[in-house]
Amino acid sequence: LQFYPYKLLLRDAWQHGRFAFWNPLNLCGYPAYAETMAANFDLLNIVLLIFPFPLAFHLYIILPLLIAGMGFYLFLSSYKIDFWIARIFATSYMLCGLFITHLLPHFIPGSMCWAPFACLFVKRYYDTSGKGSILLAGISLCLGFLGGNLQTALFLVILLTIYGLSYLSEARIALSRRVILLVSAFSIGLLLSAIMWLPTLEL
C-alpha cells in the first residue's frame, strides 16, 4: 500500500522525463523526489525501467540480498578465510532477519548491502595503500546512502568508522592517517549522493 505505489510513481515519472516529480496523491501535493523513504535515487531502481511490473518490483527487493551476500563473501575472502566458511557466513548475512523483515521498506537492505564493499575497500587501502581504494570506498558509501535514508546513512558511517579505526593491518597505520582516509571516503560519498541530500534538506 505504500512502497509499491512509490515505485510505480517513480517509474512513471522517469519514463515521462519528470525527474523533479510531484506526488499529487499525498497530502495536498508532495515533492516526491525529496522523499528518502521511497529511495528515489537508489541505483537498483534501474530494474524498474527494464522489466515489467510486478516482476520489476520483485527483482528490486531481492537484489540487495544478492549484493549483500556477494559483498560479504568478497570481504571475508580478503581475510583468506576458507571458501565454505566464507559462503556460510555470507549467506547468513544475506538472509539475516533484519534484511528479510525490511524487504518492502527496502532502506535497510538497500543501504547495508553496500557496507561489505565499503569495508573491503578500506581494508584494501590499509593493506596496499592504493589511492583508488579510497575512491571505491566513497562510491560504495554513496550507493549505500542513495539506497537508504538518513538513519541508515548514519549506521553506515558508524560502522565504517569503527571498522576503519579498529582494523589491525600488518603495517602500522597512524591514527591521523586512518582519520584522513575515513573523512576522505565520507566526503566522496556525501558529494556523490548530494543529488539526494540537497532536496531532502530543503524539504
Side-chain angles (χ1 to χ4, degrees):
L1 295 177
Q2 182 178 12
F3 297 101
Y4 190 83
Y6 272 153
K7 296 308 174 185
L8 282 175
L9 184 68
L10 174 69
R11 182 176 185 242
D12 180 68
W14 280 15
Q15 286 179 338
H16 293 88
R18 300 193 307 270
F19 296 106
F21 57 102
W22 186 259
N23 182 1
L25 306 175
N26 193 1
L27 302 176
C28 292
Y30 192 79
Y33 69 95
E35 174 57 75
T36 57
M37 203 74 153
N40 293 309
F41 299 100
D42 185 7
L43 177 68
L44 303 182
N45 283 325
I46 293 173
V47 301
L48 304 178
L49 302 174
I50 299 174
F51 299 98
F53 270 70
L55 173 63
F57 186 73
H58 296 158
L59 293 174
Y60 175 77
I61 63 177
I62 290 173
L63 270 177
L65 302 181
L66 301 176
I67 293 171
M70 182 175 59
F72 204 69
Y73 173 76
L74 294 173
F75 177 62
L76 292 176
S77 296
S78 69
Y79 280 95
K80 305 294 191 293
I81 290 176
D82 179 75
F83 170 77
W84 287 105
I85 294 176
R87 281 190 63 180
I88 290 170
F89 280 92
T91 304
S92 298
Y93 180 70
M94 177 179 76
L95 299 177
C96 78
L98 194 60
F99 286 0
I100 298 300
T101 55
H102 284 77
L103 284 179
L104 288 177
H106 187 79
F107 41 85
I108 290 181
S111 184
M112 298 308 289
C113 69
W114 300 105
F117 290 97
C119 292
L120 171 65
F121 293 125
V122 166
K123 178 182 182 297
R124 187 174 293 176
Y125 174 77
Y126 286 154
D127 293 341
T128 65
S129 297
K131 297 280 178 64
S133 297
I134 299 176
L135 177 62
L136 292 173
I139 292 173
S140 299
L141 281 172
C142 167
L143 294 174
F145 293 162
L146 294 177
N149 55 22
L150 186 60
Q151 291 89 340
T152 58
L154 184 61
F155 296 158
L156 271 176
V157 169
I158 293 172
L159 170 68
L160 199 63
T161 299
I162 293 172
Y163 179 74
L165 294 179
S166 62
Y167 174 64
L168 299 175
S169 60
E170 295 181 1
R172 291 200 168 188
I173 301 172
L175 178 62
S176 58
R177 186 178 163 197
R178 292 174 184 253
V179 171
I180 291 172
L181 161 69
L182 293 171
V183 169
S184 300
F186 294 146
S187 299
I188 291 170
L190 285 172
L191 289 172
L192 290 176
S193 58
I195 190 174
M196 178 179 80
W197 296 124
L198 294 180
T200 299
L201 291 172
E202 182 184 8
L203 175 63

